[in-house]
């Protein structure tokens, strides 16, 4: 039996693009396999050229096989019947009348909620928003809702993100806008609040009294995988820290919300982001480090590129719970392994900098939580040895968990904004990072080079050392391929 979701039409702008082919269509296939899509469902696929639905389906099949998922041609055929192709130029306002007519036709028997998924390059983003609204497609109707799903990057800096927010808010209400940060939809990220607030043992030690510092590492062994244009405009700070890592920071450090409603969570996340100390321009070199892997210049065919493929940052929260606790963030491509981990290092008077007492929340892969504690070695000795207590999702919970894009799609169909970033959070995060971006832009220096397969530039080690910390490196992954759930 199908799960009950309201009748929905999902319009995908960018159906032939990388994101749709690698993430959205496979996620829709999986949802169809689990019979989680609404009984009354349509996917309006926007093609710029002559619609080629067969090629979209073939690409979806290839991606499912690449992801090592079971492939069933009947399920793909069943997904295929939802697809309604439309040929239009998304930058041409007149073409939106065609789209409006198509949606009207689909509403003849049953009225549908309308979801517009903007899986398109940021430069045409505003145009599409304006075009939707020019033909009235932004307006909810009696009993049916209209939502727009937007992918990061939400701008390229503080000023451009403000522009985007303004353009969006002129045409859509905040409750209609779903800003996707797929890290928030990862099962392990969702568990952070439950783990923190539902276990008195954890809640009791979650403060500067017991915690020495916190590290968050998002490492990828892959390079930029041919996304030259995208990455040259981004760099690691914008691509990962501004969104995914700042969202993890807010979940790890925020206060308990009044309620677990979208509003309650957004309010506390924002409060936390706003209480992070501003970085002064003269301190950027002390609190931020950047690097570039050897070979990147050839890949982008730009000898003098200064784009960073690695970034590290130290933050500090100015509140009574966290004052004085360094929060260290790092991310990079071409690193020794692929893993995202949050490492909470406890205060240890005798062994400062030892990393022997810590708790690691493994966001991916090998999702789980482990504690490293000291125990006395057995036998005629007083010597201590670090030992691990390990919780693995795969051992404790049976069945496969929905991947982040399945979750994003279902929550958007339900109208639940809890796992999406609010405009204020996006702004707060850009405000924090802007001084670093400005300083790097103004500096004559270049990012420090590092070898692929290493843990990044020496400057990152120095950054941690400035605060008496040593990076805790995630274990290498046995099956590297499994660790790359393909980037969007
Ligand atoms: C994306 C970034 O947001 O996240 C990519 O643009 C990165 O550069 C990807 O590879 C990583 O996502 P995941 O889910 O594979 O960790």
């Amino acid at each position: 039996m199908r799960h009950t979701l309201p009748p929905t039409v999902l319009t995908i702008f960018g159906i032939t693009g990388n994101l749709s082919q690698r993430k959205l269509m496979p996620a829709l296939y999986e949802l169809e396999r689990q019979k989680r899509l609404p009984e009354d469902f349509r996917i309006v696929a926007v093609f710029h050229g002559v619609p080629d639905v067969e090629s979209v389906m073939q690409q979806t099949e290839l991606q499912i096989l690449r992801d090592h998922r079971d492939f069933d041609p009947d399920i793909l055929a069943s997904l295929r019947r939802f697809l309604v192709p439309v040929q239009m130029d998304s930058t041409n306002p007149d073409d939106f009348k065609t789209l409006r007519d198509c949606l009207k036709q689909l509403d003849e028997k049953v009225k549908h909620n309308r979801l517009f998924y903007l899986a398109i390059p940021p430069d045409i983003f505003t145009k599409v928003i304006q075009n939707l609204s020019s033909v009235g497609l932004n307006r909810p109707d009696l009993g049916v809702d209209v939502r727009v799903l937007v992918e990061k990057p939400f701008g390229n800096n503080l000023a451009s993100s403000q522009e985007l927010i303004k353009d969006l808010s002129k045409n859509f209400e905040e409750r209609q806008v779903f800003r996707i940060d797929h890290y928030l939809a990862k099962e392990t990220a969702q568990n952070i609040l439950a783990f923190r607030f539902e276990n008195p043992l954890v809640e009791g030690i979650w403060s500067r009294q017991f915690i020495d510092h916190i590290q968050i590492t998002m490492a990828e062994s892959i390079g930029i995988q041919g996304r030259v244009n995208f990455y040259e405009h981004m760099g690691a700070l914008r691509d990962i820290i501004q969104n995914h890592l700042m969202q993890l920071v807010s979940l790890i450090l925020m206060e308990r919300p009044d309620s677990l409603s979208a509003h309650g969570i957004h309010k506390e996340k924002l409060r936390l982001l706003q209480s992070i100390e501003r970085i002064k321009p003269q301190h950027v070199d002390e609190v931020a480090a950047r690097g570039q892997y050897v070979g990147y210049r050839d890949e982008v065919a730009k000898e003098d590129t200064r784009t960073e493929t690695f970034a590290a940052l130290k933050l500090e929260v100015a509140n009574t719970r966290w004052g004085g606790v360094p929060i260290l963030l790092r991310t990079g491509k071409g690193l020794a392994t692929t893993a995202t981990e949050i490492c909470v290092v406890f205060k240890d008077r005798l062994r400062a900098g030892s990393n022997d007492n810590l708790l690691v929340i493994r966001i991916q892969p090998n999702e789980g939580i482990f504690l490293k504690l000291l125990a006395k070695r057995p036998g005629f000795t007083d010597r201590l040895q670090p030992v691990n207590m390990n919780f693995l999702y795969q051992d404790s919970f049976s069945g496969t968990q929905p991947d982040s894009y399945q979750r994003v799609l279902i929550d958007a169909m339900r109208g639940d904004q809890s796992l999406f970033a609010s405009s204020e959070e996006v702004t707060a995060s850009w405000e924090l990072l802007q001084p670093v971006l400005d300083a790097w832009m103004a500096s004559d220096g270049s990012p420090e080079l590092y070898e692929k397969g290493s843990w990044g530039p020496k400057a990152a080690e120095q950054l941690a050392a400035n605060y008496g910390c040593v990076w805790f490196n995630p274990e290498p992954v046995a099956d590297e391929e499994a660790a790359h759930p393909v980037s969007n």
Side-chain angles (χ1 to χ4, degrees):
M1 214 188 66
R2 284 193 179 266
H3 292 248
T4 43
L5 279 171
T8 303
V9 176
L10 170 68
T11 302
I12 303 182
F13 291 93
I15 189 74
T16 54
N18 192 282
L19 175 70
S20 299
Q21 303 278 278
R22 297 171 89 172
K23 297 277 194 187
L24 295 184
M25 289 302 288
L28 287 163
Y29 165 91
E30 190 53 33
L31 290 172
E32 174 58 7
R33 196 179 65 72
Q34 296 167 18
K35 302 220 173 311
R36 283 186 184 275
L37 293 173
E39 185 72 52
D40 212 311
F41 184 57
R42 284 285 177 276
I43 303 168
V44 172
V46 175
F47 288 85
H48 189 74
V50 180
D52 186 354
V53 174
E54 289 330 307
S55 136
V56 168
M57 299 323 284
Q58 263 168 25
Q59 290 302 323
T60 307
E61 176 178 341
L62 282 177
Q63 189 61 46
I64 293 161
L65 296 172
R66 249 182 249 136
D67 292 347
H68 308 287
R69 295 208 204 135
D70 289 341
F71 176 69
D72 180 342
D74 291 343
I75 293 169
L76 196 69
S78 170
L79 182 66
R80 162 82 179 79
R81 78 198 152 92
F82 294 135
L83 244 84
V84 182
V86 172
Q87 183 177 0
M88 58 183 277
D89 173 359
S90 306
T91 60
N92 180 357
D94 282 342
D95 284 10
F96 279 71
K97 292 180 190 142
T98 318
L99 178 64
R100 188 185 54 196
D101 295 344
C102 164
L103 294 176
K104 228 183 192 163
Q105 239 174 30
L106 295 176
D107 269 2
E108 249 167 27
K109 287 201 192 112
V110 186
K111 286 222 164 202
H112 297 82
N113 279 345
R114 291 173 180 172
L115 261 59
F116 296 104
Y117 202 122
L118 271 50
I120 46 173
D123 47 334
I124 56 168
F125 191 91
T126 303
K127 198 100 217 106
V128 173
I129 295 287
Q130 287 165 349
N131 289 345
L132 281 170
S133 121
S134 72
V135 293
L137 281 175
N138 57 335
R139 282 196 299 272
D141 203 357
L142 208 61
V144 291
D145 225 334
V146 174
R147 297 172 197 137
V148 58
L149 280 89
V150 294
E151 274 286 338
K152 63 172 265 281
F154 311 119
N156 200 254
N157 53 25
L158 179 59
S160 60
S161 82
Q162 294 303 91
E163 278 296 305
L164 262 181
I165 288 171
K166 215 166 70 199
D167 286 333
L168 261 166
S169 69
K170 268 193 231 147
N171 300 294
F172 290 89
E173 289 170 37
E174 179 72 9
R175 62 165 196 88
Q176 294 179 280
V177 183
F178 288 64
R179 290 178 197 79
I180 298 161
D181 187 313
H182 76 283
Y183 260 64
L184 283 175
K186 289 186 191 277
E187 198 57 50
T188 33
Q190 286 172 49
N191 185 38
I192 292 175
L193 296 187
F195 176 68
R196 284 188 51 198
F197 297 125
E198 303 308 326
N199 296 298
L201 180 78
V202 180
E203 198 174 14
I205 55 162
W206 217 249
S207 71
R208 62 198 291 257
Q209 204 186 340
F210 300 100
I211 292 175
D212 182 76
H213 71 277
I214 295 178
Q215 308 180 7
I216 306 185
T217 297
M218 192 285 201
E220 292 179 287
S221 58
I222 48 169
I224 58 162
Q225 293 190 303
R227 296 154 84 207
V228 174
N229 270 339
F230 171 83
Y231 208 80
E232 267 296 282
H233 280 98
M234 284 283 122
L237 194 75
R238 292 181 169 98
D239 186 31
I240 303 290
I241 296 192
Q242 191 277 335
N243 38 79
H244 304 326
L245 293 200
M246 292 308 292
Q247 285 293 337
L248 292 181
V249 165
S250 58
L251 291 176
I252 283 289
L253 303 178
M254 68 187 242
E255 294 297 315
R256 181 193 273 275
D258 296 339
S259 77
L260 286 177
S261 65
H263 177 71
I265 296 175
H266 285 307
K267 195 173 103 197
E268 286 307 331
K269 282 203 309 192
L270 179 64
R271 207 147 71 97
L272 186 278
L273 289 171
Q274 289 177 335
S275 60
I276 296 177
E277 280 184 3
R278 308 280 119 183
I279 299 171
K280 298 204 174 67
Q282 64 273 28
H283 291 158
V284 169
D285 284 346
E286 189 190 316
V287 302
R290 57 182 166 150
Q292 188 187 78
Y293 63 74
V294 175
Y296 175 78
R297 286 174 192 184
D298 295 338
E299 237 173 299
V300 300
K302 195 169 167 211
E303 195 41 43
D304 58 353
T305 175
R306 296 200 301 162
T307 304
E308 80 285 356
T309 58
F310 178 103
L313 190 64
K314 177 256 175 184
L315 300 173
E316 214 168 299
V317 181
N319 66 16
T320 42
R321 184 188 289 273
W322 295 115
V325 175
I327 313 296
L328 298 171
L329 313 179
R330 67 174 166 168
T331 184
K333 301 223 181 246
L335 295 186
T337 192
T338 295
T340 303
E341 292 189 353
I342 299 163
C343 175
V344 178
V345 182
F346 296 111
K347 284 196 165 150
D348 184 338
R349 272 182 308 110
L350 302 178
R351 286 163 292 270
S354 73
N355 285 357
D356 279 344
N357 266 278
L358 47 81
L359 179 135
V360 176
I361 301 177
R362 278 191 305 250
I363 302 291
Q364 63 184 29
N366 301 329
E367 287 79 353
I369 296 176
F370 86 80
L371 250 181
K372 198 164 152 199
L373 302 167
L374 283 170
K376 189 192 93 59
R377 275 196 186 178
F380 301 104
T381 173
D382 290 336
R383 288 183 61 193
L384 298 175
Q385 182 179 320
V387 290
N388 293 342
M389 285 167 69
N390 215 349
F391 146 62
L392 274 173
Y393 269 71
Q394 66 188 39
D395 292 348
S396 302
F397 301 109
S398 59
T400 49
Q401 308 303 322
D403 89 348
S404 35
Y405 275 89
Q406 293 166 37
R407 183 68 199 243
V408 160
L409 288 164
I410 292 291
D411 281 5
M413 287 187 225
R414 281 198 198 124
D416 180 348
Q417 283 184 315
S418 316
L419 300 181
F420 297 82
S422 72
S423 60
E424 290 164 307
E425 288 165 40
V426 171
T427 304
S429 174
W430 277 119
E431 275 170 356
L432 274 169
L433 300 186
Q434 194 59 47
V436 181
L437 291 170
D438 291 343
W440 285 354
M441 176 80 110
S443 130
D444 295 331
S446 295
E448 182 188 326
L449 294 180
Y450 62 92
E451 290 299 330
K452 265 192 159 179
S454 71
W455 275 107
K458 297 256 173 328
E461 280 162 41
Q462 186 53 50
L463 171 82
N466 292 345
Y467 302 95
C469 312
V470 177
W471 290 108
F472 178 80
N473 293 332
E475 294 283 314
V477 183
D479 179 2
E480 270 288 304
E481 213 174 336
H484 289 302
V486 290
S487 49
N488 55 331

